Amino acid sequence: MRSRIPFAMTALAAGLLNAAQVNADSVDLTMYYPVSVGGALTDVVDNLVEEFESEHPDINVEAIYAGNYDDTRVRAMSAIEAGDTPQLSVLFSIDLYELIEQNAIVAFDDLVETDEERDWLDSFYPGLMENGQLDGKTYGIPFQRSTIVLFWNKDAFEAAGLDPETPPENWEEMAEMAATVREASNGEQWGVMVPSTGYPYWMFQAFAFQNGHRLMSEDGTEVYFDDPAAVEALEYWVSLATEHDAMPDGTIEWGTLRQNFIEQSTAMMWHTTGNLTAVRSEADFDFGVAMLPMKTQRGSPTGGGNFYIFEDASEEEQRAAMTFIRWMTDPERAAAWSIETGYMGVSPAAYETDALKSYVEEFAPAAVARDQLEHGTAELSTYQGGRVRRALDNAVQAALTGQMSTEEALSQAQQEADGVLRRYAR
């Protein structure tokens, strides 16, 4: 017995030493990420991270839910300023200019080393890459990406004498159908709701683009808020309440609109496709999802979050972060994420997986946001983006609440944005 004790202790010590060595060689990553839609997305992310770590025991990922997109950007930048830089984060795709201006992020082109990695970098939908690229380099990788889609209550349409299988194709039809629902319900149900808090600039950009107008230059140095086509777009949005009595007066909350639709307070809503799975699981009525109605053309800005890798991370951490991002955006994972949430599969290959092909065959609305990419445009993104978007948000809300005329509100937003962007003019 005595002779075995030293051997056992030696083996135990060797095992502890090996475990310590493995732990010492592992890479620790911190990632902040936002949630701006319904559903238990934190659980989905936690499960994905756990699966990744089981396959990559040498990489540890601490995924920290940090609030909405603005909260997450503030928290990430505050951590950088405090010298506690995360290695990667999911942030707004439109945060690109601000992140580059602060030298906060690294281009993926500078990290890829193999042909396989370069092929991965070229594998995403081009429409989802617009907000992540600048001067020929890629800084953001699509993850939880979306377009705005129209949700409609088929039961409410049928009750109002409308064809439940036919959503509005254009602005005129949407106003007429919404007014018809409102009248048929004796004022108990609104016809349509478009959120005007949270991200009002995003909804307004959709209206403007449908009227053939792009709100910003490609280099992020100019905006065109007071163009007649933009004014006309905002006038239409306002008219849904003031002229057609089809939408509530004032502002409509982003955060509660999905519940309004579920509770059948409105027959139609404009919202991110990221809410699709939550609506499907909670609605006790038949609903449909369609591309947004058009004026002169169809269209929706893309939206949502990209993966970024931070400049201050070590080379080893940056490589580990890219390993994690590649894993998270793998076609099978992108397909699973789309099914779990309603966000788009970010690559054509995701829609070729058996899982997502079967899901789309079973539930056609899952393909609407992807199909709308053909009519998409990059989301409003400029230097000093937060200040520029805030000026536009304020203008939209001022017009919707009747505090200012649409022309006056957008003129003021244009002046404010011009003042902010003047130093970036090329």
Side-chain angles (χ1 to χ4, degrees), residues 15-33:
L16 291 172
L17 182 61
N18 288 337
Q21 185 66 38
V22 169
N23 187 58
D25 290 342
S26 65
V27 180
D28 296 326
L29 302 177
T30 298
M31 176 185 77
Y32 295 118
Y33 71 94

Side-chain angles (χ1 to χ4, degrees), residues 1-16:
M1 289 289 292
R2 289 180 186 174
S3 64
R4 292 184 180 182
I5 293 174
F7 177 79
M9 292 180 64
T10 301
L12 177 62
L16 291 172

Side-chain angles (χ1 to χ4, degrees), residues 48-175:
L48 285 168
V49 167
E50 186 177 340
E51 184 181 348
F52 171 81
E53 290 179 336
S54 70
E55 296 181 20
H56 299 80
D58 57 334
I59 302 176
N60 306 311
V61 181
E62 183 183 10
I64 301 172
Y65 164 60
N68 63 26
Y69 284 108
D70 291 332
D71 297 334
T72 305
R73 181 185 66 253
V74 169
R75 184 159 181 184
M77 300 311 293
S78 296
I80 292 173
E81 292 173 7
D84 190 22
T85 304
Q87 287 72 37
L88 74 160
S89 284
V90 177
L91 302 173
F92 243 156
S93 65
I94 54 176
D95 286 335
L96 177 67
Y97 289 104
E98 181 176 346
L99 294 169
I100 287 179
E101 190 173 17
Q102 299 189 35
N103 297 314
I105 53 176
V106 63
F108 282 83
D109 312 73
D110 299 336
L111 299 180
V112 297
E113 297 178 347
T114 66
D115 289 341
E116 182 186 10
E117 290 174 346
R118 291 185 183 88
D119 289 343
W120 165 74
L121 204 56
D122 293 333
S123 68
F124 302 95
Y125 281 110
L128 298 180
M129 297 297 283
E130 287 184 83
N131 282 118
Q133 295 177 323
L134 185 65
D135 296 332
K137 287 194 171 185
T138 298
Y139 294 87
I141 296 297
F143 176 51
Q144 50 190 58
R145 298 303 303 277
S146 59
T147 60
I148 307 164
V149 293
L150 173 80
F151 294 79
W152 87 94
N153 182 329
K154 294 184 179 182
D155 293 353
F157 269 42
E158 188 169 20
L162 300 170
D163 182 352
E165 301 302 325
T166 305
E169 283 281 318
N170 53 53
W171 286 6
E172 183 179 359
E173 287 185 0
M174 188 173 78

Side-chain angles (χ1 to χ4, degrees), residues 281-350:
S281 65
E282 295 174 18
D284 60 2
F285 53 86
D286 195 11
F287 74 94
V289 178
M291 296 186 198
L292 295 180
M294 63 184 288
K295 178 68 187 310
T296 64
Q297 64 182 24
R298 284 202 179 276
S300 168
T302 58
N306 285 345
F307 279 114
Y308 298 95
I309 294 178
F310 290 102
E311 180 75 42
D312 288 346
S314 69
E315 183 177 343
E316 182 183 30
E317 290 169 340
Q318 290 176 349
R319 291 294 306 171
M322 195 165 79
T323 297
F324 176 70
I325 294 169
R326 285 193 62 192
W327 187 90
M328 288 286 280
T329 56
D330 172 88
E332 295 290 344
R333 232 87 54 199
W337 175 254
S338 180
I339 293 167
E340 287 276 0
T341 64
Y343 282 115
M344 279 186 284
V346 290
S347 65

